Amino acid sequence: MTWRMPAESAPHERTWMAFPCEGPTLGETAQAAEECYRAWTAVARTIAEFEPVTMVADPRETSRARDLLGSDVTILEAPLDEFWMRDVGPTFVLDADRPGVLGAVDWIFNGWGDHEWSQWHKSAGMARIVAEASGAELISSLLVNEGGGIHVDGAGTVLLTETVQLDPRRNPYADRARVEAELARTIGATHFIWLPRGLTRDYEQFGTNGHVDIVAGMPAPGRVLLHHQPDPDHPDHDVTRDLRTFLAQQTDAAGRPLEIIDVPAPECLTDAEGFVDWSYLNHLVVNDGIVVCGFGEEKADARAREILQQAYPGRRAVTVDSRAIFERGGGIHCITQQQPALLPTALPTGVAR
């Protein structure tokens, strides 16, 4: 069998999410918790305008989830602690040799490196729960990895970061060759672009140590969307400049030089914790649409929608205020996981479609 992870822009069966529950991500006050519930709910309801959504809810939160989401979203009850579905859930793949088969890669999840603050033991089993519910064939992996740590073009190229998969808190005995061999086996990657690092805030206490899905993505083979911080007072100005220089020297799986599309950051530079990592790269592509992070900056948000609509022709971009999500360490892409539609089954010769 040959597993392959489709591009995010390929047709979806549905999107998976996980509903907030008590823990570090929810917040310490009632107001913070309500902000978290509202943010996750707004994202789910927006996605549901384009495609089905299944929300996994901890038994303690099932009633609240049903009240907030109504009939727009399917609820699946299962134990949770962390609820960043991109990272705790499976990465879905397809098998070109068996068109009717869906696969679900079960990475090891250890709370982004088993930090003292991370609560992850319940959600470490989420991939198996989602795989069973979706009817997917489980693909077990010994690689500690998260869905936010990889981004593919659907044609063999994968973006990843040296400080994530090679993080000694995740994979202390891994090297590039071992990681690449596992990604070839599980998601069908044939060409690997190792970014040297991610955004500055992602290396602070509650960061992921460099997830790629907040800094770069591939809307199509040979094209890269890149976070651009134009303000020299922000440390990511130098980071994104250096990443642009690096990517300009890379090719995709077909040997094509990469066309780099800059996606400027919002104007806001700091919050109460320091320099922000607000990024429009952490969007989700859905059927006929793009769900884009918004930051309350009308001009910057509109510019991002325009750039992304050009990068994904034929899709309508919709902004959802994501400041409450970013305060907790991620964005819209981080809290979602797309399930690709199955490949069409070949018909016998002479049978009309």
mmCIF file of all heavy atoms in Angstrom, residues 166-183:
data_model
loop_
_atom_site.group_PDB
_atom_site.id
_atom_site.type_symbol
_atom_site.label_atom_id
_atom_site.label_comp_id
_atom_site.label_asym_id
_atom_site.label_seq_id
_atom_site.Cartn_x
_atom_site.Cartn_y
_atom_site.Cartn_z
ATOM 1 N N LEU A 166 13.091 17.083 15.314
ATOM 2 C CA LEU A 166 14.398 16.745 15.885
ATOM 3 C C LEU A 166 14.564 17.261 17.305
ATOM 4 O O LEU A 166 15.662 17.227 17.855
ATOM 5 C CB LEU A 166 15.519 17.296 14.986
ATOM 6 C CG LEU A 166 15.517 16.795 13.544
ATOM 7 C CD1 LEU A 166 16.686 17.392 12.770
ATOM 8 C CD2 LEU A 166 15.552 15.273 13.476
ATOM 9 N N ASP A 167 13.484 17.730 17.904
ATOM 10 C CA ASP A 167 13.488 18.198 19.284
ATOM 11 C C ASP A 167 13.823 17.034 20.217
ATOM 12 O O ASP A 167 13.129 16.017 20.219
ATOM 13 C CB ASP A 167 12.093 18.757 19.601
ATOM 14 C CG ASP A 167 11.953 19.294 21.012
ATOM 15 O OD1 ASP A 167 12.916 19.211 21.795
ATOM 16 O OD2 ASP A 167 10.856 19.793 21.333
ATOM 17 N N PRO A 168 14.863 17.133 21.030
ATOM 18 C CA PRO A 168 15.222 16.014 21.916
ATOM 19 C C PRO A 168 14.153 15.700 22.951
ATOM 20 O O PRO A 168 14.130 14.599 23.503
ATOM 21 C CB PRO A 168 16.524 16.486 22.584
ATOM 22 C CG PRO A 168 16.547 17.968 22.401
ATOM 23 C CD PRO A 168 15.830 18.242 21.120
ATOM 24 N N ARG A 169 13.236 16.637 23.225
ATOM 25 C CA ARG A 169 12.132 16.350 24.144
ATOM 26 C C ARG A 169 11.052 15.527 23.456
ATOM 27 O O ARG A 169 10.202 14.933 24.118
ATOM 28 C CB ARG A 169 11.522 17.663 24.659
ATOM 29 C CG ARG A 169 12.486 18.502 25.501
ATOM 30 C CD ARG A 169 11.896 19.860 25.787
ATOM 31 N NE ARG A 169 11.549 20.564 24.547
ATOM 32 C CZ ARG A 169 11.003 21.779 24.515
ATOM 33 N NH1 ARG A 169 10.720 22.405 25.644
ATOM 34 N NH2 ARG A 169 10.738 22.355 23.361
ATOM 35 N N ARG A 170 11.096 15.495 22.128
ATOM 36 C CA ARG A 170 10.148 14.689 21.374
ATOM 37 C C ARG A 170 10.794 13.386 20.900
ATOM 38 O O ARG A 170 10.308 12.293 21.189
ATOM 39 C CB ARG A 170 9.648 15.480 20.157
ATOM 40 C CG ARG A 170 8.673 16.627 20.467
ATOM 41 C CD ARG A 170 8.398 17.357 19.158
ATOM 42 N NE ARG A 170 7.265 18.274 19.194
ATOM 43 C CZ ARG A 170 7.363 19.586 19.332
ATOM 44 N NH1 ARG A 170 8.554 20.143 19.502
ATOM 45 N NH2 ARG A 170 6.279 20.345 19.297
ATOM 46 N N ASN A 171 11.848 13.513 20.136
ATOM 47 C CA ASN A 171 12.492 12.354 19.507
ATOM 48 C C ASN A 171 13.994 12.394 19.772
ATOM 49 O O ASN A 171 14.780 12.771 18.900
ATOM 50 C CB ASN A 171 12.210 12.366 17.999
ATOM 51 C CG ASN A 171 10.731 12.282 17.679
ATOM 52 O OD1 ASN A 171 10.073 11.294 17.972
ATOM 53 N ND2 ASN A 171 10.190 13.337 17.073
ATOM 54 N N PRO A 172 14.424 12.011 20.967
ATOM 55 C CA PRO A 172 15.831 12.177 21.342
ATOM 56 C C PRO A 172 16.813 11.369 20.504
ATOM 57 O O PRO A 172 17.999 11.700 20.463
ATOM 58 C CB PRO A 172 15.858 11.730 22.810
ATOM 59 C CG PRO A 172 14.659 10.855 22.973
ATOM 60 C CD PRO A 172 13.625 11.433 22.064
ATOM 61 N N TYR A 173 16.330 10.325 19.827
ATOM 62 C CA TYR A 173 17.252 9.480 19.070
ATOM 63 C C TYR A 173 17.060 9.625 17.558
ATOM 64 O O TYR A 173 17.634 8.876 16.772
ATOM 65 C CB TYR A 173 17.078 8.015 19.473
ATOM 66 C CG TYR A 173 17.226 7.810 20.958
ATOM 67 C CD1 TYR A 173 16.115 7.494 21.741
ATOM 68 C CD2 TYR A 173 18.458 7.971 21.587
ATOM 69 C CE1 TYR A 173 16.242 7.330 23.119
ATOM 70 C CE2 TYR A 173 18.597 7.812 22.951
ATOM 71 C CZ TYR A 173 17.484 7.500 23.717
ATOM 72 O OH TYR A 173 17.614 7.346 25.080
ATOM 73 N N ALA A 174 16.263 10.599 17.151
ATOM 74 C CA ALA A 174 15.972 10.758 15.726
ATOM 75 C C ALA A 174 17.046 11.583 15.035
ATOM 76 O O ALA A 174 17.730 12.397 15.642
ATOM 77 C CB ALA A 174 14.611 11.421 15.534
ATOM 78 N N ASP A 175 17.179 11.333 13.741
ATOM 79 C CA ASP A 175 17.948 12.214 12.873
ATOM 80 C C ASP A 175 17.093 12.442 11.627
ATOM 81 O O ASP A 175 15.989 11.914 11.510
ATOM 82 C CB ASP A 175 19.315 11.622 12.524
ATOM 83 C CG ASP A 175 19.225 10.232 11.906
ATOM 84 O OD1 ASP A 175 18.146 9.889 11.347
ATOM 85 O OD2 ASP A 175 20.206 9.481 11.966
ATOM 86 N N ARG A 176 17.595 13.255 10.724
ATOM 87 C CA ARG A 176 16.802 13.587 9.542
ATOM 88 C C ARG A 176 16.397 12.345 8.758
ATOM 89 O O ARG A 176 15.254 12.218 8.309
ATOM 90 C CB ARG A 176 17.590 14.534 8.625
ATOM 91 C CG ARG A 176 17.653 15.957 9.099
ATOM 92 C CD ARG A 176 18.100 16.839 7.951
ATOM 93 N NE ARG A 176 18.295 18.220 8.364
ATOM 94 C CZ ARG A 176 18.385 19.229 7.499
ATOM 95 N NH1 ARG A 176 18.323 18.985 6.197
ATOM 96 N NH2 ARG A 176 18.558 20.464 7.939
ATOM 97 N N ALA A 177 17.318 11.443 8.589
ATOM 98 C CA ALA A 177 17.048 10.256 7.770
ATOM 99 C C ALA A 177 15.915 9.425 8.363
ATOM 100 O O ALA A 177 15.044 8.930 7.637
ATOM 101 C CB ALA A 177 18.317 9.414 7.631
ATOM 102 N N ARG A 178 15.916 9.261 9.677
ATOM 103 C CA ARG A 178 14.861 8.465 10.312
ATOM 104 C C ARG A 178 13.504 9.160 10.212
ATOM 105 O O ARG A 178 12.484 8.518 9.956
ATOM 106 C CB ARG A 178 15.214 8.212 11.777
ATOM 107 C CG ARG A 178 16.379 7.247 11.955
ATOM 108 C CD ARG A 178 16.758 7.108 13.406
ATOM 109 N NE ARG A 178 17.858 6.153 13.577
ATOM 110 C CZ ARG A 178 18.460 5.901 14.737
ATOM 111 N NH1 ARG A 178 18.078 6.534 15.828
ATOM 112 N NH2 ARG A 178 19.450 5.035 14.806
ATOM 113 N N VAL A 179 13.493 10.466 10.428
ATOM 114 C CA VAL A 179 12.246 11.212 10.307
ATOM 115 C C VAL A 179 11.723 11.144 8.872
ATOM 116 O O VAL A 179 10.533 10.900 8.629
ATOM 117 C CB VAL A 179 12.444 12.677 10.744
ATOM 118 C CG1 VAL A 179 11.189 13.508 10.432
ATOM 119 C CG2 VAL A 179 12.768 12.760 12.229
ATOM 120 N N GLU A 180 12.602 11.335 7.909
ATOM 121 C CA GLU A 180 12.186 11.310 6.510
ATOM 122 C C GLU A 180 11.657 9.932 6.111
ATOM 123 O O GLU A 180 10.662 9.824 5.378
ATOM 124 C CB GLU A 180 13.345 11.735 5.613
ATOM 125 C CG GLU A 180 13.687 13.213 5.771
ATOM 126 C CD GLU A 180 14.885 13.635 4.945
ATOM 127 O OE1 GLU A 180 15.458 12.776 4.220
ATOM 128 O OE2 GLU A 180 15.272 14.827 5.000
ATOM 129 N N ALA A 181 12.297 8.887 6.580
ATOM 130 C CA ALA A 181 11.831 7.537 6.258
ATOM 131 C C ALA A 181 10.429 7.300 6.830
ATOM 132 O O ALA A 181 9.580 6.681 6.178
ATOM 133 C CB ALA A 181 12.811 6.504 6.797
ATOM 134 N N GLU A 182 10.174 7.801 8.031
ATOM 135 C CA GLU A 182 8.858 7.611 8.642
ATOM 136 C C GLU A 182 7.784 8.441 7.943
ATOM 137 O O GLU A 182 6.655 7.996 7.756
ATOM 138 C CB GLU A 182 8.920 7.946 10.135
ATOM 139 C CG GLU A 182 7.638 7.718 10.890
ATOM 140 C CD GLU A 182 7.187 6.259 10.940
ATOM 141 O OE1 GLU A 182 7.786 5.398 10.250
ATOM 142 O OE2 GLU A 182 6.222 5.975 11.670
ATOM 143 N N LEU A 183 8.134 9.646 7.524
ATOM 144 C CA LEU A 183 7.172 10.471 6.795
ATOM 145 C C LEU A 183 6.911 9.907 5.397
ATOM 146 O O LEU A 183 5.805 10.026 4.877
ATOM 147 C CB LEU A 183 7.663 11.909 6.710
ATOM 148 C CG LEU A 183 7.717 12.672 8.044
ATOM 149 C CD1 LEU A 183 8.265 14.072 7.842
ATOM 150 C CD2 LEU A 183 6.351 12.726 8.709
#
